[in-house]
Every structure is written in structure tokens, then in C-alpha cells.
Amino acid sequence: MNPLSRVLLTASVCLLATSATPLLAAPSTDKVLIVVSGEGKDTGKQRPGYEFDELSQAWGVFKANGLEVEIASPKGGPVEADKYNPAEPFNAALLADKEAMRKLADTQATSTLEADDYAAIYVVGGKGAMFDLPRDASLRQLAGRIWDNGGIVAAVCHGPAALVDVRLADGSLLVNGRKLTGFSNEEEALFGKKWAAEFPWLLEDTMRQRGAHWAEAPLMMPKLVVDGRLITGQNPYSTYAVAEAIVRATGRTPVARTPSRDELSMALVERLLAGDAQGPRDALATEPGRYHIDLIGILGYYQAQAATDDAALEQALQVMDLALPHMHEPQLKLAAAEAHLKLKRPQQARTLVLKALETDPKLEQAQALLQRIDG
């Protein structure tokens, strides 16, 4: 994943729920199976692996709520994550957990596991999940049997790739006719350039072909979809919501936790886009250290890259403008300038380009943009 996108973490969530799937008696166990890809090599450079954030955040939620956790991969043994930030509190907590690291160093092979042992299965994403997880017949059978037993089936980001061909005891596809989400085509177009050409298929396209009712939030925004015992999250930033939905589906009320600065930041963005123009600005001005300002700026930056109409571009610009007074990255100023120019506001664009040149007078991109503005 592009390094800039890695600062976009979990935040407030769009929730879509339905009671279409009858709830069966839950298995008499408190055990959750986390499944990760074993594809990864060289922190994602040679082969893509799994997303460590999606593992660590969920692990923390499960353990805090009294659930026992096991980790599996298609072949078992050690697994390798893509590049991640070990200093993030949720990652540091997992790295310091000797039990967790022991299980990661020697994951269980899916072929050795019994569905009766688990109340839930949770599939971690990462681009590696597009390769080895869909090919794993044992994983497909395990997920199908956990569902047939009345258990919970959950996945986040690219993790739902493991579910596309899961069949139930009656022969039907698990995903057919059910609401779900996962890494969208729009997100793949921006962040999947290195590996997507090798994917067997795109997740969104295949889920739609399998009869799933696909749902998604705007680019990079968290989204949780709950359809009975099927729980899915759109991207890495939905992980906390997915994990807590799994906890609720086991009959528990998730224990209270302190929201991360990323969640607080995304809540500011939601307030802004809901029409509260001043409140988020006041909050940042009063307590800037409480928020992840780079997250806000980069969210706007990527949404501007993906915008297909003026309304979407205007919203992306609002998000960038929220961060601009506190973020000194010239590329953000130039992205905002480009947005103003596309919206036919050349004077605002020129002002931002000149500010970028104050930071770096030799910035060629800024000089070229200024020439375009001045005609």
C-alpha cells in the first residue's frame, strides 16, 4: 500500500445492518480464529502479505473482551506482514504480547482445524489475501462449517476474498444474496497498482458476480456491513468496527476504550462534511495534538485524486482546507490548488501555489502549476 495511505486508520463507521439471516444457536465456545495470508515475503516487496494493523487492532479488541484467539494461515508456520509502523500503540501492544507473537511465529494450518472449536472466524486483509486465501479449500470448508454451526464469519479489506467461493451445507454460496463490503474497485485503482494486475480477479467485481449485495463508503472512509452473522469491513480503517461487531455477535457488549487520535480526526471530517464548517476548525486550533492532522490532509488529497465530479472535488477540498493551516507539506497545498483550478477558481489556486513556493522555491511542480494558472 502506498505509504501515504497508511496514516488513514480506523474512525467512525457507516453501519449497514439487516436481520435477513436467522441467528442460529451460537457455538459453545469463546474462541475466535484469525486467518492471515502466508503469501508475504520481504515486507511486501517480493510478495504481498497481510496487514499487521488489521491483525493487531482486532486482537486487542478480542482479548479485551475475554475471547480466546488463535491464528491460522493456509500452510501454517511463520507468516510475514507487509510494511507497518511498529510504534503505533495497537501494533506495539501486539508486539509486546508474547503469546500473540508465539502464535504468529507458528500459525496453524487451516487443514488441521475443526469448525466446532470456534465461535467466529475473522479473515485479515492485505493484498496477499487475494492470492493464497481463495485457493485454500480447507479454509473454504472451515468458514462454511462455522457458518452452518451458527458461528460468525467476518473479514476486512481484501479478507473477503477468502469468502467468494465458500459454500454452505445446502450447496449455496455464502455470499449470494447477502450484504457485504470489502476493498472497492475505486480503492484498488489508487492503491493496487503494483499487484492488482496479478490478482485472479477484483474483489468487488467477483462479489457482485457471486450475487452479493455490495455496499461501499467513499474512498478511504471506514464502512462496516453486518448481515446477520456475516460481518465485513471495507478497508483497514474499518477494523475496529468489525472486531467490535464480532464481539457483539457473540452476545457481549464491547468494553469501553479510548478512541484513537485517528478516530477523533475522522469524526471531525464527518462533522465538516455534515455542514459544521467552524466546529472542526475550532477543535484543531484548540487541541491540535489530540488529532492526527496528516490523516485529515491525506484523506482529502486522495479523495481529490479519485473525484469524478465537482461535488466530490469540493468535498475533498473542504477536507484538505481543514488540515492546511496545520500541515506544512507543499504537496497538499498543490493538490488543493489543483482542485481550485479545476473548480475555476484560479486566484485561490495561485495563492496556494505561491505558499508552496515559499516553502520550496525550486519546486518544479509548483512552478509548472503557476505557469498554467497565469496562462
Side-chain angles (χ1 to χ4, degrees), residues 304-335:
Q305 307 309 302
T308 57
D309 55 43
D310 286 354
L313 188 58
E314 191 71 67
Q315 283 199 337
L317 184 56
Q318 288 181 53
V319 178
M320 288 189 284
D321 283 345
L322 181 60
L324 275 170
H326 311 277
M327 192 173 169
H328 304 296
E329 171 57 54
Q331 291 298 329
L332 184 62
K333 295 182 177 67
L334 296 182

Side-chain angles (χ1 to χ4, degrees), residues 6 31 43-44 48 83 101 112 123 220 299 310:
R6 290 182 177 278
K31 193 179 296 184
T43 61
K83 187 177 180 181
M101 298 312 294
T112 66
V123 186
M220 307 304 288
L299 174 64
D310 286 354

Side-chain angles (χ1 to χ4, degrees), residues 111-346:
S111 61
T112 66
L113 304 177
E114 296 292 336
D116 292 347
D117 293 336
Y118 304 102
I121 183 171
Y122 163 67
V123 186
V124 170
K127 292 179 176 60
M130 295 295 294
F131 293 102
D132 61 345
L133 300 191
R135 297 195 303 259
D136 186 357
S138 295
L139 176 56
R140 292 196 299 271
Q141 294 170 4
L142 189 63
R145 289 170 182 166
I146 288 173
W147 180 273
D148 287 330
N149 287 347
I152 301 150
V153 175
V156 70
C157 190
H158 288 96
L163 309 181
V164 295
D165 289 321
V166 170
R167 290 191 179 273
L168 306 180
D170 62 4
S172 65
L173 287 168
L174 168 64
V175 301
N176 184 30
R178 292 192 169 90
K179 296 180 175 68
L180 54 76
T181 189
F183 208 67
S184 69
N185 285 350
E186 183 183 31
E187 291 165 334
E188 205 71 80
L190 273 180
F191 305 113
K193 294 176 182 177
K194 181 175 181 180
W195 295 109
E198 296 185 29
F199 288 172
W201 26 256
L202 291 179
L203 180 58
E204 177 182 342
D205 290 346
T206 300
M207 282 299 192
R208 291 182 185 277
Q209 291 166 6
R210 297 294 192 272
H213 300 305
W214 183 267
E216 65 184 73
L219 180 85
M220 307 304 288
M221 296 297 289
K223 188 175 186 65
L224 170 71
V225 177
V226 179
D227 189 336
R229 293 178 284 112
L230 179 62
I231 299 170
T232 50
Q234 180 171 330
N235 48 42
Y237 326 120
S238 311
T239 302
Y240 274 124
V242 169
E244 290 182 337
I246 293 170
V247 170
R248 284 192 293 272
T250 67
R252 295 166 169 80
T253 299
V255 298
R257 60 181 178 84
T258 302
S260 70
R261 62 174 183 152
D262 299 317
E263 293 174 285
L264 294 171
S265 300
M266 292 290 263
L268 286 187
V269 172
E270 290 189 334
R271 286 174 57 190
L272 177 75
L273 297 181
D276 183 0
Q278 194 58 43
R281 288 178 169 80
D282 291 343
L284 282 182
T286 303
E287 295 183 279
R290 192 181 181 200
Y291 302 95
H292 195 164
I293 294 169
D294 286 358
L295 178 153
I296 297 171
I298 295 170
L299 174 64
Y301 173 89
Y302 277 122
Q303 289 185 341
Q305 307 309 302
T308 57
D309 55 43
D310 286 354
L313 188 58
E314 191 71 67
Q315 283 199 337
L317 184 56
Q318 288 181 53
V319 178
M320 288 189 284
D321 283 345
L322 181 60
L324 275 170
H326 311 277
M327 192 173 169
H328 304 296
E329 171 57 54
Q331 291 298 329
L332 184 62
K333 295 182 177 67
L334 296 182
E338 286 276 11
H340 278 297
L341 192 57
K342 290 178 182 177
L343 293 168
K344 298 180 172 57
R345 296 197 286 260

